[in-house]
Amino acid sequence: MARNIFNQPPKDEKESAASSPTPPKAAKLPGSVGGLRDSLREITANSIRDIEPDQIDMDGLRDRLVLEDSSIDELAESIRKHGQQVPIMVRPSAQPDRYRIIYGRRRLAAIRMVGGTIKAIVRTLDDDASLIAQGQENNLRLDPSFIEKSLFIKEMQESGYKPNVIQDALGLTRQGVSNHRVVIEQLPEGLVQLIGPAHGIGRRQWGDLAAFSKKIDLVSTAKEVIAALPDDTPSAEKFQAVYSACSNKARSDKKHANGSLTSVVKDADGSSVGTLTVDQKAIVIKIAKKDHPEFGQWIEERAEATLLQLFEQWRNESGSGS
């Protein structure tokens, strides 16, 4: 179906949904969140099985930047104490006694740490319905961050999913999908992986950071900033540190680009004769008449002729007059 996004092993392209002895028709989950709740409630009572975790293959697009993190340890400890409270969802694989995960990757990772079987709802869904179920269940249980949704949308579009499927998967309008995609397209590849999911950082902040990419190497700056931070720095704080560094660098570069350079011209005795100011727009020679009134008068009388003389000299030396 689709290529993976965060270095997750790709599934066999020849895989197709396997049929059970009396295969049900590939289901289409309703697009609304309320409809998803009703569907899950209806199928949970009759479809939960205990499955060995090794029988389940990772499948489809990942919608999380971080899977193996401290939250997995906490979830594993909770399951160890209280048992698995919420089943995952899988669909049959083409291989006998194997399944492909639809949602519940964190729970599956935690069960693999704890040991034992995992409770799973087994449903025969097509690719579109699986994607919708994955996106809606994650939105219900743990809302993905703005940038995770943006990456998920980009991968879904590049994998050929239709706009209505993408909208249903994340519960977004057409404009909402567009808002996410516009930002992710402006960010250089690799930057989001450096910063992480950055929960709480929204479209405007990511958009402001993306705007710096026209003047600053965001990836190099992010690497420098993050390397100086403690390893356990939260992702949102990494974003703020990178944004602050990029903002300061942009202001510094702008000031340098727009600033002028002024030097004092002195005679052999070290006395000031005048100043020379150079910026992007002009070259200015300034002589204070109060310091050298006679010289100032002399320059004023000859300035035009001297300027023309210098111009002709430049043209002759550079060959511009030929």
Side-chain angles (χ1 to χ4, degrees), residues 226-234 238:
I226 293 173
L229 297 174
D231 293 338
D232 59 351
T233 300
K238 290 181 181 178

Side-chain angles (χ1 to χ4, degrees), residues 158-180:
E158 293 178 352
S159 298
Y161 284 100
K162 295 180 179 179
N164 64 303
V165 174
I166 297 173
Q167 292 170 37
D168 285 345
L170 292 174
L172 294 173
T173 63
R174 181 177 180 178
Q175 184 61 49
V177 171
S178 177
N179 289 341
H180 285 73

Side-chain angles (χ1 to χ4, degrees), residues 36-148:
L36 176 65
R37 290 195 186 96
D38 294 340
S39 296
L40 294 183
R41 189 179 299 113
E42 178 183 346
I43 64 180
T44 296
N46 300 317
S47 305
I48 295 180
R49 303 182 192 177
D50 289 322
I51 300 176
E52 292 292 336
D54 290 343
Q55 293 178 262
I56 302 173
D57 298 319
M58 289 295 186
D59 184 47
L61 303 177
R62 281 192 52 185
D63 46 21
R64 300 287 177 195
L65 272 169
V66 179
L67 181 63
E68 303 294 343
D69 59 5
S70 59
S71 67
I72 302 296
D73 296 331
E74 296 172 0
L75 180 58
E77 183 61 26
S78 175
I79 292 175
R80 187 179 288 111
K81 291 181 179 179
H82 308 292
Q84 181 188 349
Q85 301 297 312
V86 180
I88 68 171
M89 180 179 281
V90 298
R91 56 177 172 167
S93 170
Q95 304 176 29
D97 297 323
R98 296 204 66 79
Y99 303 90
R100 297 154 61 186
I101 193 164
I102 296 174
Y103 62 69
R105 289 168 175 77
R106 294 176 66 255
R107 276 161 280 170
L108 178 59
I111 290 290
R112 283 175 171 164
M113 294 175 63
V114 172
T117 59
I118 187 167
K119 298 183 184 300
I121 301 167
V122 181
R123 294 284 283 167
T124 302
L125 303 178
D126 63 19
D127 289 343
D128 286 355
S130 296
L131 190 73
I132 291 172
Q134 174 186 351
Q136 291 192 350
E137 199 270 351
N138 282 331
N139 282 337
L140 286 170
R141 292 187 52 77
L142 182 61
D143 190 35
S145 69
F146 171 84
I147 205 63
E148 285 179 312

Side-chain angles (χ1 to χ4, degrees), residues 246-264:
C246 290
S247 179
N248 290 337
K249 189 172 184 180
R251 286 198 299 267
S252 176
D253 289 350
K254 182 177 181 181
K255 182 177 180 181
H256 178 74
N258 296 333
S260 60
L261 178 64
T262 299
S263 57
V264 178

